[in-house]
Short mmCIF file of all heavy atoms in Angstrom, two decimals:
data_model
loop_
_atom_site.label_atom_id
_atom_site.label_comp_id
_atom_site.label_asym_id
_atom_site.label_seq_id
_atom_site.Cartn_x
_atom_site.Cartn_y
_atom_site.Cartn_z
N LEU A 62 22.16 22.73 -44.14
CA LEU A 62 21.85 21.32 -43.94
C LEU A 62 23.09 20.47 -44.17
O LEU A 62 23.76 20.58 -45.20
CB LEU A 62 20.75 20.87 -44.91
CG LEU A 62 19.30 21.02 -44.44
CD1 LEU A 62 18.98 22.46 -44.08
CD2 LEU A 62 18.35 20.50 -45.48
N LEU A 63 23.40 19.64 -43.18
CA LEU A 63 24.41 18.61 -43.36
C LEU A 63 23.66 17.33 -43.67
O LEU A 63 23.07 16.71 -42.78
CB LEU A 63 25.27 18.45 -42.11
CG LEU A 63 26.21 17.23 -42.09
CD1 LEU A 63 27.14 17.24 -43.30
CD2 LEU A 63 26.99 17.17 -40.80
N LEU A 64 23.66 16.94 -44.93
CA LEU A 64 22.93 15.76 -45.38
C LEU A 64 23.82 14.53 -45.24
O LEU A 64 25.00 14.57 -45.62
CB LEU A 64 22.50 15.94 -46.83
CG LEU A 64 21.36 15.06 -47.34
CD1 LEU A 64 20.07 15.42 -46.63
CD2 LEU A 64 21.20 15.22 -48.84
N CYS A 65 23.25 13.45 -44.71
CA CYS A 65 24.03 12.24 -44.48
C CYS A 65 23.13 11.03 -44.71
O CYS A 65 21.98 11.02 -44.28
CB CYS A 65 24.58 12.24 -43.05
SG CYS A 65 25.55 10.77 -42.61
N PRO A 66 23.64 9.98 -45.39
CA PRO A 66 22.83 8.76 -45.58
C PRO A 66 23.09 7.77 -44.46
O PRO A 66 24.11 7.81 -43.77
CB PRO A 66 23.36 8.23 -46.91
CG PRO A 66 24.81 8.60 -46.88
CD PRO A 66 24.90 9.92 -46.14
N VAL A 67 22.15 6.84 -44.28
CA VAL A 67 22.31 5.85 -43.23
C VAL A 67 23.31 4.77 -43.62
O VAL A 67 23.87 4.09 -42.74
CB VAL A 67 20.94 5.22 -42.90
CG1 VAL A 67 20.50 4.26 -44.00
CG2 VAL A 67 20.95 4.54 -41.54
N ASP A 68 23.57 4.61 -44.93
CA ASP A 68 24.40 3.48 -45.38
C ASP A 68 25.85 3.86 -45.64
O ASP A 68 26.45 3.41 -46.62
CB ASP A 68 23.78 2.83 -46.62
CG ASP A 68 23.60 3.80 -47.77
OD1 ASP A 68 23.81 5.01 -47.57
OD2 ASP A 68 23.26 3.34 -48.88
N MET A 69 26.44 4.66 -44.77
CA MET A 69 27.87 4.91 -44.76
C MET A 69 28.39 4.52 -43.38
O MET A 69 28.74 5.38 -42.56
CB MET A 69 28.20 6.36 -45.08
CG MET A 69 28.04 6.74 -46.52
SD MET A 69 28.67 8.41 -46.87
CE MET A 69 28.38 8.51 -48.64
N PRO A 70 28.45 3.22 -43.08
CA PRO A 70 28.73 2.78 -41.70
C PRO A 70 30.13 3.10 -41.21
O PRO A 70 30.38 3.03 -40.00
CB PRO A 70 28.48 1.27 -41.76
CG PRO A 70 28.69 0.90 -43.19
CD PRO A 70 28.21 2.07 -43.98
N TRP A 71 31.06 3.45 -42.11
CA TRP A 71 32.43 3.74 -41.67
C TRP A 71 32.74 5.23 -41.71
O TRP A 71 33.89 5.63 -41.54
CB TRP A 71 33.42 2.96 -42.53
CG TRP A 71 33.13 1.49 -42.53
CD1 TRP A 71 32.76 0.71 -43.58
CD2 TRP A 71 33.16 0.62 -41.38
NE1 TRP A 71 32.55 -0.57 -43.18
CE2 TRP A 71 32.78 -0.66 -41.83
CE3 TRP A 71 33.45 0.80 -40.03
CZ2 TRP A 71 32.70 -1.76 -40.98
CZ3 TRP A 71 33.36 -0.29 -39.18
CH2 TRP A 71 32.99 -1.55 -39.66
N LEU A 72 31.75 6.04 -41.90
CA LEU A 72 31.94 7.48 -41.86
C LEU A 72 32.37 7.90 -40.46
O LEU A 72 31.82 7.42 -39.46
CB LEU A 72 30.63 8.18 -42.24
CG LEU A 72 30.63 9.71 -42.28
CD1 LEU A 72 31.57 10.22 -43.35
CD2 LEU A 72 29.21 10.22 -42.51
N GLY A 73 33.36 8.81 -40.37
CA GLY A 73 33.88 9.24 -39.08
C GLY A 73 33.62 10.71 -38.79
O GLY A 73 33.33 11.49 -39.70
N GLU A 74 33.75 11.07 -37.54
CA GLU A 74 33.52 12.46 -37.14
C GLU A 74 34.50 13.41 -37.81
O GLU A 74 34.15 14.53 -38.17
CB GLU A 74 33.62 12.60 -35.62
CG GLU A 74 33.32 14.02 -35.13
CD GLU A 74 33.46 14.16 -33.63
OE1 GLU A 74 33.63 13.14 -32.93
OE2 GLU A 74 33.40 15.31 -33.15
N SER A 75 35.75 12.97 -38.00
CA SER A 75 36.75 13.85 -38.62
C SER A 75 36.33 14.23 -40.04
O SER A 75 36.55 15.38 -40.46
CB SER A 75 38.12 13.17 -38.64
OG SER A 75 38.07 11.94 -39.36
N SER A 76 35.72 13.31 -40.77
CA SER A 76 35.25 13.62 -42.12
C SER A 76 34.12 14.64 -42.09
O SER A 76 34.06 15.54 -42.92
CB SER A 76 34.77 12.34 -42.83
OG SER A 76 35.83 11.43 -42.98
N LEU A 77 33.22 14.50 -41.10
CA LEU A 77 32.14 15.48 -40.97
C LEU A 77 32.70 16.86 -40.66
O LEU A 77 32.24 17.86 -41.20
CB LEU A 77 31.17 15.05 -39.87
CG LEU A 77 30.35 13.79 -40.11
CD1 LEU A 77 29.40 13.57 -38.93
CD2 LEU A 77 29.56 13.87 -41.40
N ARG A 78 33.69 16.92 -39.79
CA ARG A 78 34.28 18.21 -39.43
C ARG A 78 34.96 18.87 -40.62
O ARG A 78 34.87 20.09 -40.80
CB ARG A 78 35.29 18.02 -38.29
CG ARG A 78 34.68 17.48 -37.00
CD ARG A 78 33.89 18.50 -36.26
NE ARG A 78 33.34 17.98 -35.01
CZ ARG A 78 32.53 18.65 -34.21
NH1 ARG A 78 32.17 19.89 -34.52
NH2 ARG A 78 32.05 18.11 -33.10
N LEU A 79 35.64 18.07 -41.44
CA LEU A 79 36.27 18.62 -42.65
C LEU A 79 35.22 19.18 -43.60
O LEU A 79 35.41 20.23 -44.21
CB LEU A 79 37.10 17.54 -43.34
CG LEU A 79 38.42 17.15 -42.67
CD1 LEU A 79 39.04 15.96 -43.39
CD2 LEU A 79 39.39 18.33 -42.67
N LEU A 80 34.12 18.47 -43.72
CA LEU A 80 33.04 18.91 -44.60
C LEU A 80 32.44 20.22 -44.09
O LEU A 80 32.19 21.15 -44.86
CB LEU A 80 31.97 17.82 -44.66
CG LEU A 80 30.94 17.88 -45.80
CD1 LEU A 80 31.62 17.87 -47.15
CD2 LEU A 80 29.98 16.71 -45.67
N LEU A 81 32.22 20.31 -42.80
CA LEU A 81 31.69 21.55 -42.22
C LEU A 81 32.65 22.71 -42.39
O LEU A 81 32.24 23.84 -42.66
CB LEU A 81 31.38 21.33 -40.74
CG LEU A 81 30.21 20.42 -40.41
CD1 LEU A 81 30.12 20.20 -38.90
CD2 LEU A 81 28.90 21.00 -40.93
N GLN A 82 33.93 22.43 -42.24
CA GLN A 82 34.93 23.48 -42.43
C GLN A 82 34.91 24.01 -43.86
O GLN A 82 34.97 25.21 -44.09
CB GLN A 82 36.32 22.94 -42.08
CG GLN A 82 37.43 23.98 -42.17
CD GLN A 82 38.78 23.40 -41.79
OE1 GLN A 82 38.92 22.19 -41.58
NE2 GLN A 82 39.78 24.24 -41.69
N ALA A 83 34.81 23.10 -44.82
CA ALA A 83 34.74 23.52 -46.22
C ALA A 83 33.47 24.31 -46.49
O ALA A 83 33.48 25.32 -47.20
CB ALA A 83 34.81 22.30 -47.13
N GLY A 84 32.35 23.88 -45.89
CA GLY A 84 31.09 24.58 -46.09
C GLY A 84 31.08 25.97 -45.49
O GLY A 84 30.36 26.86 -45.97
N ALA A 85 31.87 26.18 -44.44
CA ALA A 85 31.89 27.48 -43.78
C ALA A 85 32.68 28.52 -44.58
O ALA A 85 32.57 29.71 -44.33
CB ALA A 85 32.50 27.34 -42.39
N GLN A 86 33.45 28.06 -45.56
CA GLN A 86 34.32 28.97 -46.29
C GLN A 86 33.67 29.58 -47.52
O GLN A 86 34.23 30.50 -48.11
CB GLN A 86 35.61 28.23 -46.68
CG GLN A 86 36.44 27.82 -45.48
CD GLN A 86 37.61 26.93 -45.84
OE1 GLN A 86 37.78 26.54 -47.00
NE2 GLN A 86 38.41 26.58 -44.85
N GLN A 87 32.53 29.07 -47.94
CA GLN A 87 31.84 29.64 -49.09
C GLN A 87 30.37 29.22 -49.06
O GLN A 87 30.02 28.27 -48.37
CB GLN A 87 32.53 29.26 -50.40
CG GLN A 87 32.90 27.81 -50.55
CD GLN A 87 31.73 26.96 -50.93
OE1 GLN A 87 30.97 27.35 -51.79
NE2 GLN A 87 31.55 25.83 -50.30
N PRO A 88 29.50 29.93 -49.78
CA PRO A 88 28.06 29.76 -49.60
C PRO A 88 27.42 28.68 -50.46
O PRO A 88 26.20 28.50 -50.40
CB PRO A 88 27.51 31.14 -50.01
CG PRO A 88 28.46 31.61 -51.07
CD PRO A 88 29.82 31.09 -50.66
N ASP A 89 28.19 27.97 -51.27
CA ASP A 89 27.60 27.02 -52.21
C ASP A 89 27.49 25.62 -51.60
O ASP A 89 27.96 25.35 -50.50
CB ASP A 89 28.44 26.96 -53.49
CG ASP A 89 28.44 28.28 -54.23
OD1 ASP A 89 27.41 28.98 -54.17
OD2 ASP A 89 29.46 28.61 -54.86
N ILE A 90 26.88 24.74 -52.37
CA ILE A 90 26.79 23.34 -51.97
C ILE A 90 28.19 22.73 -51.98
O ILE A 90 28.99 22.98 -52.90
CB ILE A 90 25.87 22.57 -52.94
CG1 ILE A 90 24.43 23.08 -52.83
CG2 ILE A 90 25.92 21.07 -52.67
CD1 ILE A 90 23.52 22.54 -53.90
N VAL A 91 28.50 21.94 -50.96
CA VAL A 91 29.78 21.24 -50.88
C VAL A 91 29.51 19.76 -50.70
O VAL A 91 28.79 19.37 -49.78
CB VAL A 91 30.64 21.77 -49.70
CG1 VAL A 91 31.95 20.99 -49.61
CG2 VAL A 91 30.92 23.25 -49.85
N LEU A 92 30.07 18.95 -51.58
CA LEU A 92 29.85 17.51 -51.52
C LEU A 92 31.11 16.79 -51.05
O LEU A 92 32.23 17.23 -51.34
CB LEU A 92 29.47 16.97 -52.90
CG LEU A 92 28.22 17.56 -53.55
CD1 LEU A 92 27.97 16.88 -54.90
CD2 LEU A 92 27.00 17.43 -52.65
N ALA A 93 30.91 15.69 -50.34
CA ALA A 93 32.04 14.83 -49.99
C ALA A 93 32.53 14.10 -51.24
O ALA A 93 31.78 13.92 -52.21
CB ALA A 93 31.61 13.82 -48.93
N HIS A 94 33.81 13.72 -51.21
CA HIS A 94 34.41 13.00 -52.34
C HIS A 94 35.21 11.84 -51.78
O HIS A 94 35.97 12.01 -50.83
CB HIS A 94 35.31 13.95 -53.14
CG HIS A 94 35.59 13.49 -54.53
ND1 HIS A 94 36.47 12.47 -54.81
CD2 HIS A 94 35.09 13.89 -55.73
CE1 HIS A 94 36.51 12.29 -56.13
NE2 HIS A 94 35.68 13.12 -56.71
N ASP A 95 35.04 10.67 -52.36
CA ASP A 95 35.72 9.49 -51.84
C ASP A 95 37.03 9.19 -52.55
O ASP A 95 37.62 8.12 -52.37
CB ASP A 95 34.80 8.27 -51.92
CG ASP A 95 34.42 7.90 -53.35
OD1 ASP A 95 34.95 8.50 -54.31
OD2 ASP A 95 33.57 7.00 -53.53
N GLY A 96 37.51 10.12 -53.37
CA GLY A 96 38.74 9.92 -54.13
C GLY A 96 38.48 9.44 -55.53
O GLY A 96 39.37 9.49 -56.38
N ILE A 97 37.27 8.99 -55.79
CA ILE A 97 36.89 8.54 -57.13
C ILE A 97 35.75 9.39 -57.68
O ILE A 97 35.80 9.85 -58.82
CB ILE A 97 36.45 7.05 -57.10
CG1 ILE A 97 37.60 6.17 -56.60
CG2 ILE A 97 35.99 6.60 -58.48
CD1 ILE A 97 37.23 4.72 -56.42
N ARG A 98 34.75 9.64 -56.85
CA ARG A 98 33.60 10.42 -57.31
C ARG A 98 32.98 11.19 -56.13
O ARG A 98 33.21 10.85 -54.96
CB ARG A 98 32.55 9.52 -57.95
CG ARG A 98 31.96 8.50 -57.00
CD ARG A 98 30.93 7.61 -57.69
NE ARG A 98 31.54 6.80 -58.72
CZ ARG A 98 32.10 5.61 -58.49
NH1 ARG A 98 32.13 5.12 -57.26
NH2 ARG A 98 32.63 4.91 -59.45
N ALA A 99 32.22 12.20 -56.48
CA ALA A 99 31.50 12.95 -55.47
C ALA A 99 30.38 12.10 -54.89
O ALA A 99 29.81 11.24 -55.56
CB ALA A 99 30.93 14.24 -56.07
N GLN A 100 30.05 12.34 -53.63
CA GLN A 100 29.01 11.61 -52.93
C GLN A 100 27.89 12.59 -52.56
O GLN A 100 27.93 13.23 -51.51
CB GLN A 100 29.58 10.95 -51.67
CG GLN A 100 30.66 9.93 -51.93
CD GLN A 100 30.15 8.73 -52.69
OE1 GLN A 100 29.01 8.28 -52.47
NE2 GLN A 100 30.96 8.18 -53.57
N PRO A 101 26.88 12.73 -53.42
CA PRO A 101 25.87 13.78 -53.22
C PRO A 101 25.00 13.60 -51.99
O PRO A 101 24.37 14.56 -51.55
CB PRO A 101 25.04 13.73 -54.50
CG PRO A 101 25.26 12.38 -55.06
CD PRO A 101 26.66 12.00 -54.69
N LEU A 102 24.93 12.40 -51.42
CA LEU A 102 24.11 12.21 -50.23
C LEU A 102 24.86 12.56 -48.95
O LEU A 102 24.30 12.48 -47.85
CB LEU A 102 23.60 10.78 -50.14
CG LEU A 102 22.65 10.36 -51.26
CD1 LEU A 102 22.07 8.97 -50.98
CD2 LEU A 102 21.52 11.36 -51.44
N LEU A 103 26.14 12.95 -49.08
CA LEU A 103 26.90 13.44 -47.95
C LEU A 103 27.45 14.81 -48.34
O LEU A 103 28.39 14.91 -49.11
CB LEU A 103 28.05 12.48 -47.61
CG LEU A 103 28.94 12.90 -46.43
CD1 LEU A 103 28.14 13.04 -45.15
CD2 LEU A 103 30.10 11.91 -46.25
N GLY A 104 26.81 15.84 -47.83
CA GLY A 104 27.23 17.17 -48.25
C GLY A 104 26.57 18.27 -47.43
O GLY A 104 25.69 18.01 -46.60
N ILE A 105 27.02 19.48 -47.69
CA ILE A 105 26.46 20.68 -47.08
C ILE A 105 25.55 21.35 -48.10
O ILE A 105 25.97 21.68 -49.21
CB ILE A 105 27.58 21.66 -46.67
CG1 ILE A 105 28.57 20.99 -45.73
CG2 ILE A 105 26.98 22.91 -46.05
CD1 ILE A 105 28.00 20.60 -44.40
N TYR A 106 24.30 21.55 -47.71
CA TYR A 106 23.28 22.13 -48.60
C TYR A 106 22.66 23.35 -47.93
O TYR A 106 21.77 23.21 -47.08
CB TYR A 106 22.19 21.10 -48.92
CG TYR A 106 22.62 19.98 -49.84
CD1 TYR A 106 23.28 18.85 -49.35
CD2 TYR A 106 22.36 20.05 -51.20
CE1 TYR A 106 23.67 17.82 -50.20
CE2 TYR A 106 22.75 19.03 -52.06
CZ TYR A 106 23.40 17.92 -51.55
OH TYR A 106 23.78 16.90 -52.40
N PRO A 107 23.10 24.56 -48.27
CA PRO A 107 22.47 25.77 -47.70
C PRO A 107 21.06 25.95 -48.26
O PRO A 107 20.86 25.99 -49.48
CB PRO A 107 23.40 26.90 -48.16
CG PRO A 107 24.69 26.23 -48.56
CD PRO A 107 24.29 24.89 -49.08
N ALA A 108 20.09 26.05 -47.38
CA ALA A 108 18.68 26.14 -47.78
C ALA A 108 18.29 27.60 -48.00
O ALA A 108 17.43 28.14 -47.31
CB ALA A 108 17.79 25.48 -46.75
N THR A 109 18.91 28.24 -49.00
CA THR A 109 18.59 29.63 -49.31
C THR A 109 17.23 29.71 -50.00
O THR A 109 16.72 28.72 -50.54
CB THR A 109 19.66 30.23 -50.22
OG1 THR A 109 19.65 29.51 -51.47
CG2 THR A 109 21.05 30.12 -49.61
#
């Protein structure tokens, strides 16, 4: 699952691709990070 919130109006495709690339490299949850904190509503969530 690529989880995404509606209230990130400046999110770009390149950021999504980076997130997917990171998620493909290992089986755990991967969260986006804005440089200050993790963003749990934007992440890769494997539904095992």
Side-chain angles (χ1 to χ4, degrees):
L62 271 57
L63 170 57
L64 200 67
C65 179
V67 74
D68 58 351
M69 286 188 178
W71 305 116
L72 181 64
E74 183 182 351
S75 59
S76 297
L77 293 183
R78 298 285 181 185
L79 286 173
L80 196 58
L81 290 175
Q82 183 179 7
Q86 294 172 357
Q87 47 79 44
D89 296 327
I90 295 170
V91 178
L92 302 181
H94 200 284
D95 63 6
I97 300 175
R98 63 180 65 86
Q100 298 294 324
L102 295 187
L103 179 60
I105 303 294
Y106 288 84
T109 63

